[in-house]
Amino acid sequence: MLEPDDERRGRRDLADTLKQLRKAAGLSGERLAARAAMSQSKISRIESGRSLPSVSDVERIMKALDVPPDAQQDILTVARAANVDYVSVRASARKGIWRRQAEIKALCQSSTSVRHFLPIIPSGLIQTAEYARAALTPVIEGNPARDIDRAVRTRLDAQSVLDDESRQFHFLLTEQAIRIKRAPSAVMVEQLRHLGEVSRRPNVDLAIVPSSELVGASPLNIFVVYDERLVTVEIFSGSVALRDYRDISYHLNVFDYFRERAASENDARRLLNSVADEFMRGPD
């Protein structure tokens, strides 16, 4: 995976390359901006490294500069690498895992549509306090998470984004995500009841892929798509942010594939109630 120094170096190299290409073409920043249908200030931010260009931005700039196709591929490779961020759980712990919850809230507030693919656990935006505490408390050696109380409070605070009905939230779970016992039975029942309540919000689409459904693809990772500009993917050791439009498009296709096979509204609530009843009857 990418290390922070490598990421910063890749972004600097991309900024320097684009700047040198413009100069070699004999264009001012203003002329390039006009050709690429961008603002001059955006070109300036990209060339100074203050703003990371998307892959499509780089494509537009190279087209405006008439960069030869073979050179374009090399530069696009750098651009795609620069548009990937990796943050390890160790780095998150050093900053405070509560900060990650605040970042999620900020991402939601800057988006009009947020799609959560949840094959193994409900999103923090739809967790109860006790379930969130169980989910955030480390149980595997090597997970350095700490300051759990603050992380839980920040996660619950982030849930206020659901109150803004101008934003649409899509939560797509597998049945496995609601069956894994992450906490005592009473907490699980409360969590499942809460999911049923959340599903009734007018700006929420909560759907569950039943275990009985024939599914030809594997639900490998948790991921979240913010509008059509960013995907964050959760892995055991941390999280990866993807900004390449091809990666975003692919994850949207994955989401749509599973959503077409999911139960929603009353069917989803019946499944939630059924699993909750099983927890109530089973051993703690």
Side-chain angles (χ1 to χ4, degrees), residues 49-94:
R50 289 180 289 125
S51 178
L52 174 66
S54 68
V55 176
S56 59
D57 286 338
V58 175
E59 288 177 330
R60 289 165 63 187
I61 289 172
M62 290 193 298
K63 182 178 179 180
L65 293 173
D66 293 324
V67 177
D70 56 341
Q72 286 190 28
Q73 291 308 310
D74 292 339
I75 296 168
L76 285 173
T77 297
V78 175
R80 289 178 180 122
N83 272 273
V84 176
D85 288 330
Y86 168 65
V87 179
S88 71
V89 292
R90 296 182 303 280
S92 292
R94 285 195 298 270

Side-chain angles (χ1 to χ4, degrees), residues 123 133 180 273:
S123 162
R133 182 175 301 281
I180 286 188
N273 289 333

Side-chain angles (χ1 to χ4, degrees), residues 94-120:
R94 285 195 298 270
K95 293 192 303 179
I97 59 173
W98 65 271
R99 292 185 185 275
R100 175 60 180 160
Q101 311 307 312
E103 290 169 359
I104 291 171
K105 180 179 181 180
L107 281 171
C108 290
Q109 289 174 327
S110 66
S111 306
T112 58
S113 177
V114 184
R115 296 172 176 86
H116 297 252
F117 183 67
L118 306 159
I120 207 66

Side-chain angles (χ1 to χ4, degrees), residues 8-9 21 24 61 82 97 127 140 142 158 162 171-172 185 187 189 217 232 254:
R8 287 192 288 269
R9 189 179 307 112
L21 285 171
I61 289 172
I97 59 173
Q127 292 178 4
I140 298 177
L162 298 178
F171 299 103
L172 177 55
S185 294
V187 175
V189 171
T232 59
V254 171

Side-chain angles (χ1 to χ4, degrees), residues 6 8-19 78:
D6 293 333
R8 287 192 288 269
R9 189 179 307 112
R11 294 182 182 190
R12 286 197 301 270
D13 290 346
L14 179 60
D16 290 342
T17 297
L18 295 175
K19 184 175 183 178
V78 175

Side-chain angles (χ1 to χ4, degrees), residues 39-227:
S39 67
Q40 192 277 329
S41 60
K42 181 172 183 177
I43 294 294
S44 177
R45 291 195 303 272
I46 288 173
E47 291 186 354
S48 66
R50 289 180 289 125
S51 178
L52 174 66
S54 68
V55 176
S56 59
D57 286 338
V58 175
E59 288 177 330
R60 289 165 63 187
I61 289 172
M62 290 193 298
K63 182 178 179 180
L65 293 173
D66 293 324
V67 177
D70 56 341
Q72 286 190 28
Q73 291 308 310
D74 292 339
I75 296 168
L76 285 173
T77 297
V78 175
R80 289 178 180 122
N83 272 273
V84 176
D85 288 330
Y86 168 65
V87 179
S88 71
V89 292
R90 296 182 303 280
S92 292
R94 285 195 298 270
K95 293 192 303 179
I97 59 173
W98 65 271
R99 292 185 185 275
R100 175 60 180 160
Q101 311 307 312
E103 290 169 359
I104 291 171
K105 180 179 181 180
L107 281 171
C108 290
Q109 289 174 327
S110 66
S111 306
T112 58
S113 177
V114 184
R115 296 172 176 86
H116 297 252
F117 183 67
L118 306 159
I120 207 66
I121 187 173
S123 162
L125 293 180
I126 51 177
Q127 292 178 4
T128 64
E130 290 308 310
Y131 187 94
R133 182 175 301 281
L136 289 167
T137 301
V139 295
I140 298 177
E141 184 178 354
N143 185 336
R146 51 185 177 267
D147 201 356
I148 303 303
D149 288 342
R150 189 171 186 179
V152 171
R153 290 195 302 271
T154 310
R155 174 165 288 187
L156 296 181
D157 175 70
Q159 295 177 2
S160 63
V161 298
L162 298 178
D163 296 331
D164 184 351
E165 294 185 4
S166 69
R167 309 184 195 285
Q168 294 296 312
F169 293 89
H170 306 265
F171 299 103
L172 177 55
L173 303 93
T174 65
E175 186 172 335
Q176 181 76 350
I178 64 174
R179 284 189 175 278
I180 286 188
K181 192 173 183 180
R182 297 294 302 270
S185 294
V187 175
M188 294 301 302
V189 171
E190 180 187 23
Q191 173 61 44
L192 294 172
R193 302 290 191 226
H194 178 65
L195 293 180
E197 294 171 3
V198 170
S199 73
R200 297 182 184 279
R201 285 176 174 261
N203 61 332
V204 168
D205 172 46
L206 188 148
I208 305 170
V209 181
S211 297
S212 58
E213 184 70 22
L214 178 62
V215 178
S218 300
L220 297 176
N221 299 96
I222 294 172
F223 65 81
V224 185
V225 185
Y226 297 93
D227 292 330

Side-chain angles (χ1 to χ4, degrees), residues 23-43:
K23 288 185 174 181
L27 294 179
S28 66
E30 187 176 357
R31 289 284 304 281
L32 173 58
R35 285 192 180 188
M38 294 180 179
S39 67
Q40 192 277 329
S41 60
K42 181 172 183 177
I43 294 294

